Amino acid sequence: MTAGRASVKDVALRAGVSVGTVSNVLNRPDAVTERTREKVEQAMAELNFHRNASARQLRAGVSHTVGVIVMDVGNPFYTELARGIEDRLATVDHTLILCSSDDDPVREERFLKLFAEQGVRGVLVTPMSSTAPRLGDLRRLGIPSVLMDSSRNTQHPSVGVDHISGGRQAITHLLAQGHRRILYLAGPSDLQQTRHRLRGAIEAIQAAGLDAGDVLQVTNLPSLSANEGQRGLIEALDGPGPRPTAIFAMNDIVALGAMRELRVRGLSIPSDMAVVGYDDLYFAAELMTPLSSVRQPMRQLGWAAADLLLTDQPHDLFEPELIVRASSDFAR
Amino acid sequence: MTAGRASVKDVALRAGVSVGTVSNVLNRPDAVTERTREKVEQAMAELNFHRNASARQLRAGVSHTVGVIVMDVGNPFYTELARGIEDRLATVDHTLILCSSDDDPVREERFLKLFAEQGVRGVLVTPMSSTAPRLGDLRRLGIPSVLMDSSRNTQHPSVGVDHISGGRQAITHLLAQGHRRILYLAGPSDLQQTRHRLRGAIEAIQAAGLDAGDVLQVTNLPSLSANEGQRGLIEALDGPGPRPTAIFAMNDIVALGAMRELRVRGLSIPSDMAVVGYDDLYFAAELMTPLSSVRQPMRQLGWAAADLLLTDQPHDLFEPELIVRASSDFAR
DNA sequence: ACGGAATCATGAATCGATTCATGGTACGCC
DNA sequence: GGCGTACCATGAATCGATTCATGATTCCGT
C-alpha cells in the first residue's frame, strides 16, 4: 500500500484500462461494460481509492457543498436551523459548512471570502446589516445566496418568520395580562428581526388604543447573550422612569439572563415582572419559571432556505406562535 | 465585469505581468517589486479576484480545512467544543467543517468519506465504537486524526476529560448526601464516557465501603436526548426493585428530561429524588431546580484537540469539576 | 462472410494555481 | 565603460478528474 492517495491513473493502471474508463465507471456506470466496471471497481477497492474533490471540482466547475453562516452556533435555534438545512441538502447529496459570525462583520467577511474561494454551490446567511453588499459580490462570481430569518425582502431570495406577527402576539398577550409598561430587551437596531418585532409591538399597543411611547421602553443589546440580557435589565431597572412590569426579550437566552437578574433582586415572576421570550428553545418549559415564548418553526425554516437555494425560488415566510407559560400568566 | 470568476491568468493579463508573478504576489510578496505588486493588487481588486481553492489545493496538495464530527451539534457542549477548535485553527488561518454524526455510523461514514475526498488537513472526532478502523483508512491516506472527549488511549492521539474522576466526584457527593440507591442514566454502553463514569461511580461506592451492585442501578439510553432521559427514568421507576433516591445523568439534557418526569409525578427535587447532571450547560443554574452538574472545560478541550492535530502531539487530559446546586443538596 | 450500425474504450486537452529552472534587467564596482 | 552579481519576472510543467472526438470492437442482418 503506497503512502498518499491513489489517483484515477493508478486505478486505471491496475485495472488495465484507461483513465477515461475509470472516470466513466465513476460518473456514467451505464456507459461501461459490466465486466470492465467490475475490474475497475475492484482496483478502486484494492487501492483504497477516493476521488480527489479538488481536481473534480476544478474540472467540473461545480461544488457539492453549501456555505452557511449563522449568528451564533451556540444558540440551539441556529443549530436546529442548520439541521433543517442539512436534511434538505442530504436529499441531493450535498453537504454544508457551518460557520458562526458572532455578529462580527470581520468574521462574516472572512467566511464569505472562504466560500468564494471554495466555490461553494451557494450560501445561506442570517444577515446582519453589512451583509447585503458582500452577497452581491458573490452573485457576480456566480454564487447564489439566500437570507435566513429575514422577512420577505424583494431585493434578495429569503426565508423568514413573520416577526411583526411575533411581536404583535407577544405584546397583545402582555397587554391582555394588564401590563401597561413593557421593556423590550431588543437586539441591535440594525437587525431586521429587532425592527419587525418592534413594529408588531407598536401595532399591538395601538390596536389596544394605547400610546406606544408610554407603554414601550426599548433597550438595544449589542449581542444576544444571557449576560447581555442581564446587563440590559440592570441598566433599565436602575435607570430613571417608572419600572416596567413586563419584559419582552429578543430570545430565550436573553430572557434567561434577565430572569437571573430578577431572581438576584428578589423580584418574582410573573407577579413583579412578567417575561416573554422568543424561539421557544427546548429548555424554556423547564426553567425556574417556565418561560412563555414565541415559537419558530426552526427546522422547516432551514429546510426551506436550502430548498429555495436549490430550486432557485424567491421567498418563503412562516408564522410564529406564542406559547404561554407561567412566566407571563398567573393562571399557569 | 465578466460573469464567472477571474483567474490568475486574467489578473496577469490585466496587470501586464505573467501568471507566475501573480502567484508570487499571492504567496511570497517579498519576492516581488513594490511597484509590480501594487499593479497586480489593483488588477485583482478590479477583477474581484478570488483564488480558486480547488486549483490551489490540487497543486499544493495541502488543505487549510479540518473536518470535525461531533455526536450532536444540538447539544451546546459540542458547539462550545467547536468554538475552542475554531479558535485554535484561526491562529493558523485554517477553518473547520462541522458535522453531526447523531450517533449514526452511516452518517459518520458519509462524513469521513467526504473528508477523505476533500483531502482535509486533519479530522477531529468524538468517537463512537465503530470509529477507530475508519480512522486507520484516513491515516493511510495521510490524514491525521484526533479523538475528542475520549480518555487517554495509547492507540490514537486524543484529548479528553477524566470521566472516571467525574463519575467518582458525582457519586461521592451523592453518597455523602446519604443516598444509597442511585440510578445512573447512562449513554450507550459502548461509549467510553459511559464506561469510565461507571467505573468512577463504582470506585466511589467501594471507597465508601458499600457494594456497587446494591447501590447502583444502570439504565443505558440509546441516545442522549431529553426525551430519552424521560423515558429511561419512567422505565426505571416503573420497573421492579426499590426506587432510587438519586439520579446521575449522562448529561444535562438527559437530566432535563428526567426532571421533567419527576415533575409530572409530583416528586420533588432533591427531597424525593436528587439529580446530578454532566457538562454544566449554561442553563443548568437556571432550571426549575438548579442542577448540580459535572463541569467540563469545553473550550479548552476543543482548543487542545486542534492543537494536538496541528502540532502532532499524542494526548491531553483535563479534569472535570462537580458544581453542586439545589438539585442534589438540601442546603442550597 | 461481409458491411454497417451500435456500443465501448481511449487519451489528449482542460480547469486554475503553483513551482522552479531559465532568461533579463539593473546596479555596483573597478 | 565593461563585467559580475543580485534581484526579478517568466512560462512551461504539474496536480487529478473529466470530457469528447476519435478509434476499436462487437454484433446484427442478409
Side-chain angles (χ1 to χ4, degrees), chain B residues 65-78:
Chain B
T65 87
V66 167
V68 179
I69 303 181
V70 300
M71 221 117 69
D72 173 15
V73 277
N75 185 333
F77 171 76
Y78 290 110

Side-chain angles (χ1 to χ4, degrees), chain A residues 239-310:
Chain A
R243 181 210 273 173
T245 64
I247 297 171
F248 175 39
M250 191 68 184
N251 68 29
D252 289 354
I253 311 266
V254 166
L256 194 79
M259 291 167 87
R260 194 194 288 156
E261 181 60 20
L262 291 177
R263 203 156 351 102
V264 168
R265 300 193 176 215
L267 296 175
S268 73
I269 310 171
S271 49
D272 293 325
M273 186 85 76
V275 181
V276 172
Y278 216 101
D279 295 347
D280 193 31
L281 299 184
Y282 59 89
F283 55 75
E286 323 291 337
L287 294 176
M288 207 159 299
T289 309
L291 178 63
S292 298
S293 194
V294 179
R295 176 181 295 173
Q296 307 195 54
M298 310 181 249
R299 286 231 181 173
Q300 281 118 290
L301 209 54
W303 177 286
D307 196 57
L308 257 50
L309 184 76
L310 295 173

Side-chain angles (χ1 to χ4, degrees), chain A residues 39-56:
Chain A
K39 265 193 310 183
V40 172
E41 277 168 352
Q42 185 182 345
M44 296 198 308
E46 289 169 358
L47 293 173
N48 191 23
F49 171 79
H50 289 267
R51 70 224 283 188
N52 182 319
S54 300
R56 183 171 153 74

